[in-house]
Amino acid sequence: MSAYLIHSKKWLLTIIVIATGILCTSYLSLTIKHQLRQESQAKLQAIAEQIQTRLHESIELAINDIRALEAFYRSSDLVTREEFTVYATTLFDNRHEYIQALSWVPIVKHDQRSDFVATMQKYHPDFRVIERNSQGEIITRTQSDYYYPVTYIEPIESNRKALGFDINSNLIRRVSLDFARDSGEITATAKIRLVQEVGDSFGFLMLLPVYSSNNASARKNALKGFISGVFRINNLIDSAQQLAIQENLLLTLTDHTSGKDDLLYGDTNTNADFSFSLNLPQRDWRLHLSMTDSLRERTESPLSAIWIMAGGVLLSVLLGICIYELIQSRISGRRIYRLNQQIQQDNIQLEATVTERTKDLFYKNQQLEEHVEELTSKRQKLVSMMEEAEAAKQFAEQQTRELERSNRDLRDFAYVASHDLKSPLRGIDQLASWVIEDLEMGKMAEIPENLTLMRQRVQRLEALLNDLLAYSRIGRDEEKISTADCAALVEELFILNASPSTFTLTIEDDLPVFSTAVAPFEQVLRNLLSNAVKHHDRDNGSIHVSCTEEEDFYTFAVSDDGIGIDAKQHENIFKMFKTLKPRDEIEGSGMGLSMIKKIVEYYGGKVYLESTIGQGTTFYFSWPKVLKNNTIA
Amino acid sequence: MNQNDKEVRILLVEDDDVDAKAVERGFSKLSLANPIYRATNGVEALALLRGNDQQHQLTRPYIILLDLNMPVMGGLEFLQTIREDINLQDSIVFVLTTSEADEDRVAAYREHVAGYIVKSNVRDSFTKLIEMLDRYWRVVLLPT
């Protein structure tokens, strides 16, 4: 609906614009055309007036000349041929172009004719008084009362034919002659064919009577003759004609004296655009100017007006098209604008949606991040908890191990209580009861032996208690750090151990001197050395002590050349109170090696042995080069 | 009953000389002439039972009196060893120990010992144990 309206509106507006444009242009064109025509009319009129003026001037000049000649004649009774010639020639010097000739035409009465002719023949032998017959031929003048023969005429060369011509012989001329004679006024004749005319031009005469007396009433009788100006119309018009041709005008001259146009010059068929009166004495001439066809065309429909019209129409159409296009583009612009708005709206909506979504996402993201953070922190917590748990587990395991060890120790101690401590006590009790028994029964023989055994049990018990005390103290006493010269220490211990002198000790050169907790270190060495001697199967054993240096530890080796220890027993021997031989055979608490193990392990080292049955045993133990604060493994 | 006429041999596995002596005194006090063989640990006892030492193999019928705490090879280990030995698994064993620990007692009976006797319980009347053993082998028919 609206599209249709817009469509029709578009066309309507376009048509209005084009129509208005064309109308305006037409009006403008017409106005311009009118104006141009007026202008050219005015211009033409000016030219016409110029032509008229020029003609007037020429005529005026001619009249003046004629009057001047008349005055000359009036002032002297007789004007000789020579005087006339001089005078006329002077005038002709300037006015030759429009005046054919100036002549003197006296009145000659018939009785004077022969004298006149005779006189004239003195100068012009062929002179006679002539006239033109009805066929136009020149003949001698028939008889008449008087004649007006052309007597003097200047310039003579071009006007010789007129000499002797009785202008009174012609009716047209005669009318004017009579009028001039009677009025005394300068009078122009109607158009005539000049006698001297060789072309097709008309001519006329301007006649001014010369009287012997100026009395008006007696003029007819006092007439001496006429000053005649001979005009050839073509010559007169020439200059004007030239001007007219220049301006593309056609010039026509008519004589309107009789009330209707009598053609003097030009073409009667042309319609005059301008007509002027041209006043000659006693004559009403009309000068008509008409435009040539091309000029008329130009004036009627000037080219500029056509161009304006065409240009205007073209402009209007272009304007119309422009407006059409403009409307079109405006429509499409509006459509685009609408679409744009739609798009913008959509866009805004989209943006809003996006913003909302983004916000949502952001929020969700934040939530997620929070979640992640929470999770991370939870995870961290979990990890730390797990670590704690692991640590706790390890701690617990360690504790368990410790506890196990402790339990084991306790169990071992229970053994001590139940067996190793009890058995010597029980033995003492037993022996004591036997002594009493034997005393009662008077059997004295076994009493000393039993008492010796009893003392042995007491000593064993004491040693056991001492060792137990030492064992329990391992790791509890404060470590006193001092320098241990291992070679010297081993030697000293070997001697202090009250080893039988039959044993030999060899010490390798590379035993270290280092700073450590000397007391436990000494205990380990002492026990190993004493074991080596105590459990030797011979009295002349040899003991060898050496050391190898490792990264963090020294590993000491104490070797003997005794019976060796069965591989099956390697584990057992480190157990508390385990002895490989009955205590009655070799005195020992059974705690030496377990004490060594406990001490060495307390400081982070290891104890182990290599043994070959019958060849000997080597006990190794590692000892840290530098003590750490917490050396419990 | 024929067996009873035969002299039951006593294998005493005991590291403590005083305890060994106490057993011997108990036998002599009750005028029992049963031959007593002494081993100070399980290894020595096995050697006697199997006769792979230069010593003579201990011949049946015999009763083993076994201490538990001994060097080299303890009583329980000895028990496990003879119970796995086809020739020795039917041996009558009395545990004679200072250990009152339940685990020891349980472990010993699991190896089918004939009795678990704690030394402290016998105190000075070690003879009661010997009397009980004397009656035991008189009444019980021992494996041959």
Side-chain angles (χ1 to χ4, degrees):
Chain A
M1 184 67 187
S2 69
Y4 172 75
L5 268 176
I6 287 163
H7 195 68
S8 57
K9 192 178 157 193
K10 177 170 75 183
W11 278 111
L12 191 70
L13 198 62
T14 308
I15 286 162
I16 286 170
V17 165
I18 291 173
T20 310
I22 288 171
L23 271 172
C24 288
T25 310
S26 302
Y27 177 73
L28 190 70
S29 172
L30 282 173
T31 311
I32 283 169
K33 189 173 167 185
H34 183 66
Q35 212 159 2
L36 280 174
R37 196 188 294 171
Q38 274 187 334
E39 263 174 38
S40 55
Q41 289 274 20
K43 191 180 164 197
L44 287 173
Q45 190 155 5
I47 290 161
E49 278 169 4
Q50 212 178 329
I51 290 166
Q52 182 202 18
T53 308
R54 191 175 287 187
L55 280 171
H56 262 294
E57 275 172 6
S58 302
I59 290 159
E60 283 298 315
L61 279 170
I63 289 168
N64 284 347
D65 288 348
I66 291 161
R67 283 194 192 283
L69 199 57
E70 182 264 344
F72 181 56
Y73 266 91
R74 219 171 343 107
S75 62
S76 65
D77 287 343
L78 186 72
V79 175
T80 63
R81 180 185 308 273
E82 288 76 26
E83 280 172 340
F84 181 85
T85 305
V86 167
Y87 197 86
T89 309
T90 314
L91 289 177
F92 273 121
D93 281 348
N94 294 322
R95 282 116 176 154
H96 178 69
E97 51 192 79
Y98 55 85
I99 196 158
Q100 173 70 23
L102 277 169
S103 63
W104 167 248
V105 184
I107 181 162
V108 177
K109 299 207 173 104
H110 186 67
D111 53 348
Q112 297 169 331
R113 181 176 170 173
S114 50
D115 289 350
F116 173 74
V117 169
T119 309
M120 282 306 288
Q121 280 179 344
K122 287 182 197 167
Y123 305 98
H124 304 287
D126 300 332
F127 184 84
R128 53 176 177 152
V129 177
I130 53 175
E131 64 175 327
R132 217 172 354 201
N133 67 6
S134 51
Q135 284 82 43
E137 295 165 341
I138 298 294
I139 55 169
T140 304
R141 181 71 171 108
T142 55
Q143 192 176 336
S144 172
D145 288 346
Y146 54 92
Y147 312 96
Y148 294 129
V150 176
T151 310
Y152 304 150
I153 189 160
E154 282 296 332
I156 186 73
E157 292 79 23
S158 54
N159 297 291
R160 192 172 289 275
K161 272 189 182 169
L163 199 64
F165 182 75
D166 178 12
I167 55 178
N168 202 37
S169 62
N170 175 267
L171 182 64
I172 295 166
R173 290 178 178 84
R174 192 186 305 152
V175 170
S176 295
L177 281 167
D178 288 350
F179 180 83
R181 181 196 65 199
D182 294 343
S183 66
E185 304 261 324
I186 185 162
T187 303
T189 65
K191 66 169 184 187
I192 51 171
R193 283 282 173 196
L194 293 174
V195 181
Q196 61 271 42
E197 178 59 49
V198 289
D200 57 352
S201 176
F202 292 108
F204 70 94
L205 303 176
M206 222 171 318
L207 303 165
L208 185 62
V210 177
Y211 305 99
S212 55
S213 162
N214 218 14
N215 192 336
S217 56
R219 265 180 196 160
K220 196 170 178 180
N221 299 322
L223 183 73
K224 284 166 79 175
F226 295 92
I227 303 295
S228 168
V230 182
F231 295 89
R232 190 164 177 271
I233 284 175
N234 280 16
N235 288 9
L236 188 69
I237 293 296
D238 248 6
S239 63
Q241 174 69 1
Q242 271 170 20
L243 190 62
I245 286 165
Q246 271 176 19
E247 300 296 334
N248 262 319
L249 290 169
L250 295 172
L251 202 147
T252 314
L253 195 63
T254 55
D255 192 346
H256 203 67
T257 312
S258 59
K260 58 175 177 136
D261 281 332
D262 187 12
L263 188 68
L264 294 175
Y265 178 84
D267 189 354
T268 42
N269 293 334
T270 55
N271 296 318
D273 290 295
F274 313 102
S275 292
F276 302 99
S277 291
L278 204 61
N279 291 318
L280 266 75
Q282 318 313 326
R283 285 284 139 193
D284 182 13
W285 277 11
R286 296 280 165 88
L287 180 66
H288 305 283
L289 284 160
S290 60
M291 289 177 262
T292 56
D293 289 344
S294 62
L295 181 63
R296 185 180 305 280
E297 218 169 284
R298 252 186 289 156
T299 315
E300 288 299 316
S301 47
L303 211 60
S304 48
I306 290 164
W307 277 118
I308 282 165
M309 185 70 192
V313 169
L314 193 69
L315 268 177
S316 302
V317 170
L318 282 175
L319 196 67
I321 288 165
C322 279
I323 278 167
Y324 179 80
E325 289 295 324
L326 208 69
I327 290 165
Q328 187 90 328
S329 66
R330 196 155 155 251
I331 288 162
S332 44
R334 212 176 285 166
R335 200 181 306 149
I336 284 163
Y337 175 75
R338 262 207 306 277
L339 279 172
N340 218 13
Q341 250 182 348
Q342 186 81 33
I343 284 164
Q344 253 176 0
Q345 214 163 355
D346 285 359
N347 225 9
I348 285 163
Q349 210 162 346
L350 196 71
E351 259 173 45
T353 311
V354 165
T355 309
E356 207 175 320
R357 286 279 162 81
T358 307
K359 225 184 270 175
D360 213 33
L361 265 175
F362 179 73
Y363 180 66
K364 277 185 181 167
N365 213 19
Q366 248 182 351
Q367 268 185 326
L368 202 70
E369 264 173 35
E370 273 169 29
H371 232 71
V372 166
E373 262 172 44
E374 206 180 301
L375 275 173
T376 307
S377 71
K378 274 186 182 170
R379 193 171 156 263
Q380 273 174 348
K381 245 184 243 174
L382 203 68
V383 166
S384 67
M385 273 167 79
M386 274 169 75
E387 275 168 7
E388 271 173 37
E390 182 64 26
K393 192 182 156 220
Q394 276 178 353
F395 183 72
E397 274 173 6
Q398 197 182 327
Q399 287 286 347
T400 308
R401 275 202 301 274
E402 285 291 309
L403 204 66
E404 273 171 9
R405 201 210 311 256
S406 175
N407 276 346
R408 215 166 42 238
D409 285 359
L410 263 177
R411 214 167 47 233
D412 291 345
F413 191 79
Y415 264 92
V416 171
S418 68
H419 182 264
D420 288 80
L421 278 179
K422 234 174 174 183
S423 68
L425 268 179
R426 208 171 31 79
I428 290 164
D429 189 21
Q430 188 82 67
L431 286 163
S433 71
W434 287 344
V435 168
I436 292 165
E437 218 175 66
D438 287 347
L439 279 173
E440 282 173 358
M441 293 176 71
K443 292 201 278 182
M444 297 302 188
E446 282 183 35
I447 289 173
E449 189 199 335
N450 285 345
L451 285 175
T452 309
L453 280 173
M454 203 186 298
R455 277 194 66 198
Q456 201 180 33
R457 292 293 187 276
V458 171
Q459 280 162 7
R460 193 185 294 172
L461 196 61
E462 195 188 3
L464 199 61
L465 283 170
N466 285 339
D467 281 355
L468 266 176
L469 196 65
Y471 183 84
S472 70
R473 272 192 187 151
I474 291 165
R476 279 189 208 143
D477 288 343
E478 270 186 45
E479 300 162 351
K480 277 187 198 153
I481 309 292
S482 55
T483 307
D485 181 353
C486 296
L489 193 63
V490 168
E491 207 152 351
E492 192 188 0
L493 287 170
F494 184 70
I495 292 162
L496 278 177
N497 209 29
S499 303
S501 55
T502 49
F503 273 81
T504 52
L505 173 73
T506 51
I507 300 169
E508 247 170 54
D509 295 337
D510 54 359
L511 289 198
V513 176
F514 71 115
S515 207
T516 191
V518 175
F521 180 66
E522 198 184 295
Q523 177 85 55
V524 172
L525 276 176
R526 186 194 296 130
N527 284 5
L528 283 175
L529 285 169
S530 89
N531 276 354
V533 172
K534 195 159 62 183
H535 296 287
H536 208 286
D537 59 332
R538 287 172 283 129
D539 290 339
N540 58 347
S542 66
I543 295 162
H544 180 76
V545 178
S546 65
C547 176
T548 52
E549 190 177 344
E550 281 150 37
E551 197 176 343
D552 293 322
F553 289 90
Y554 292 116
T555 299
F556 295 90
V558 178
S559 315
D560 62 61
D561 54 353
I563 49 164
I565 299 169
D566 193 336
K568 283 192 277 182
Q569 302 298 332
H570 286 189
E571 222 175 295
N572 274 334
I573 56 170
F574 290 103
K575 285 181 183 165
M576 205 187 251
F577 308 119
K578 276 279 177 189
T579 53
L580 294 180
K581 287 181 179 173
R583 291 202 173 77
D584 298 318
E585 202 170 312
I586 296 165
E587 201 57 57
S589 63
M591 290 190 68
L593 277 174
S594 41
M595 206 181 292
I596 287 165
K597 190 171 191 296
K598 189 172 178 187
I599 291 167
V600 169
E601 284 180 356
Y602 178 81
Y603 288 100
K606 282 176 188 166
V607 176
Y608 56 97
L609 71 147
E610 286 172 359
S611 182
T612 311
I613 299 294
Q615 287 188 7
T617 305
T618 302
F619 277 92
Y620 298 93
F621 75 96
S622 52
W623 193 262
K625 287 173 169 178
V626 180
L627 289 185
K628 288 167 193 166
N629 279 341
N630 179 17
T631 44
I632 294 173
Chain B
M1 292 299 163
N2 288 337
Q3 293 166 334
N4 290 355
D5 295 337
K6 275 191 173 179
E7 287 214 320
V8 175
R9 291 160 179 81
I10 304 298
L11 174 56
L12 180 59
V13 189
E14 172 65 75
D15 64 328
D16 195 318
D17 289 350
V18 174
D19 285 342
K21 205 169 183 174
V23 172
E24 283 164 10
R25 276 181 71 103
F27 270 86
S28 66
K29 206 172 178 181
L30 290 175
S31 307
L32 293 175
N34 296 66
I36 296 172
Y37 297 83
R38 165 88 189 274
T40 59
N41 60 46
V43 176
E44 280 180 24
L46 282 173
L48 276 171
L49 287 168
R50 287 167 181 163
N52 47 1
D53 251 351
Q54 54 268 65
Q55 294 169 293
H56 296 293
Q57 190 178 358
L58 188 65
T59 52
R60 293 174 187 246
Y62 60 82
I63 286 174
I64 300 169
L65 297 180
L66 182 68
D67 188 11
L68 291 183
N69 285 295
M70 288 178 296
V72 185
M73 184 186 278
L76 288 172
E77 195 183 343
F78 171 78
L79 270 173
Q80 284 164 9
T81 309
I82 61 166
R83 292 295 180 234
E84 284 166 12
D85 189 326
I86 190 89
N87 296 318
L88 302 175
Q89 62 188 359
D90 58 353
S91 301
I92 301 293
V93 179
F94 282 91
V95 171
L96 199 64
T97 180
T98 53
S99 173
E100 288 179 84
D102 287 343
E103 61 207 68
D104 280 346
R105 196 184 340 160
V106 169
Y109 277 114
R110 200 162 280 159
E111 300 296 341
H112 314 295
V113 294
Y116 191 93
I117 299 149
V118 180
K119 286 177 187 170
S120 61
N121 289 354
V122 294
R123 290 285 295 174
D124 50 349
S125 52
F126 215 86
T127 46
K128 283 179 184 171
L129 168 68
I130 312 298
E131 279 173 7
M132 187 273 288
L133 287 174
D134 185 38
R135 287 199 189 101
Y136 181 83
W137 69 64
R138 284 177 195 286
V139 175
V140 176
L141 206 59
L142 298 176
T144 51

